[in-house]
Amino acid sequence: MFLSPDLVIKGYKNGIFPMAESSKDPYIFWVSPETRGIIMISDFRITKSLKKFIKKKNYKIKINKNFEKIILECARETEKRKDTWINQQIIDCYTNLYKKGIAISVECYDNFDLIGGLYGVSVGKVFFGESMFSKKVNASKVSLVYLAAFLKEGGYNFIDTQFQTDHLKQFGALEIKKVKYLNILRKNINCKAQFPIFLKKDVLDYFT
């Protein structure tokens, strides 16, 4: 099966998402976990240490300035990550979703260097988070905090993280059963939200 933007959106609306066995595998398969990770925007949390780091404003955040670079970095093999589930078919499809204004990248820069970020897809009042990467301390964490602020500003209700991890727990990620997830999804997937280009206030003001 080959991916298309319409097929991916249809999958999200039905509670499934695509993955590849490895970055070198040309095929994809659909995943429907029995338990799902989500972060409710209203319950998004930031640790005190991360708040202090963000206040220093060492990093700059941009939206959709270099989507293709973000997804390629997420797919890249590293010392700690010997392989990924993002193959060329996924890269091509999500790049097309970005060109259609549906996929979004949150990018973290240190001066002019891209040091971290994430990407995902906006449908209804849900942001389907796909992957993130970090080359410097807290880069992906700062990206996630800004994402949550943008989503709160735009009227979104939750982030689908696919799975719960220790990394995401600190931000308020929950693990819920598939039936409960599908019920929450149905209530939000056909609603309207608008991803804003700019925030109206300082990012930390959204979570105090």
Side-chain angles (χ1 to χ4, degrees):
M1 179 182 291
F2 290 94
L3 285 179
S4 69
D6 289 343
L7 190 60
V8 169
I9 299 304
K10 184 177 180 180
Y12 285 143
K13 289 183 175 181
N14 286 279
I16 61 177
F17 54 88
M19 296 181 75
E21 289 288 354
S22 75
S23 60
K24 299 176 181 64
D25 191 324
Y27 303 106
I28 63 98
F29 61 94
W30 292 95
V31 184
S32 179
E34 290 303 316
T35 57
R36 197 71 166 246
I38 67 168
I39 303 176
M40 302 303 296
I41 301 301
S42 58
D43 298 328
F44 191 87
R45 300 195 302 263
I46 311 172
T47 63
K48 289 182 180 179
S49 60
L50 186 57
K51 281 184 179 180
K52 289 180 181 179
F53 185 88
I54 292 173
K55 283 181 180 179
K56 294 178 182 177
K57 298 184 177 179
N58 293 324
Y59 299 156
K60 185 174 182 179
I61 294 293
K62 297 181 181 180
I63 303 297
N64 281 351
K65 296 298 182 182
N66 207 338
F67 182 92
E68 293 181 57
K69 179 69 172 177
I70 289 288
I71 195 170
L72 288 174
E73 288 292 346
C74 288
R76 190 184 305 280
E77 297 175 10
T78 66
E79 284 293 323
K80 293 182 179 180
R81 186 178 61 198
K82 298 300 181 182
D83 199 5
T84 75
W85 53 269
I86 303 171
N87 65 4
Q88 190 61 49
Q89 189 176 171
I90 288 174
I91 291 170
D92 293 342
C93 183
Y94 281 78
T95 300
N96 284 334
L97 282 164
Y98 156 71
K99 291 176 181 178
K100 290 176 177 290
I102 302 170
I104 294 166
S105 62
V106 180
E107 306 153 12
C108 186
Y109 294 84
D110 184 0
N111 291 318
F112 297 103
D113 296 326
L114 180 63
I115 58 167
L118 58 86
Y119 77 96
V121 174
S122 167
V123 186
K125 290 192 173 184
V126 187
F127 185 86
F128 296 89
E130 285 296 318
S131 187
M132 60 176 64
F133 78 97
S134 185
K135 290 184 175 181
K136 293 189 72 172
V137 63
N138 288 336
S140 63
K141 293 181 181 180
V142 172
S143 300
L144 184 57
V145 170
Y146 271 84
L147 169 67
F150 277 104
L151 296 177
K152 192 169 186 177
E153 175 77 24
Y156 293 76
N157 282 334
F158 75 93
I159 303 170
D160 178 347
T161 66
Q162 299 179 348
F163 303 102
Q164 186 192 55
T165 66
D166 289 338
H167 175 75
L168 294 171
K169 277 183 184 179
Q170 64 187 294
F171 297 100
L174 304 172
E175 189 173 64
I176 61 176
K177 297 292 186 181
K178 183 192 292 187
V179 172
K180 185 175 181 179
Y181 169 79
L182 291 174
N183 186 45
I184 295 172
L185 181 68
R186 280 192 292 269
K187 291 178 179 178
N188 287 277
I189 198 68
N190 293 314
C191 301
K192 286 188 177 181
Q194 180 64 50
F195 197 95
I197 299 175
F198 302 107
L199 294 176
K200 293 180 180 177
K201 51 189 176 181
D202 186 274
V203 65
L204 293 179
D205 291 338
Y206 286 86
F207 308 109
T208 55

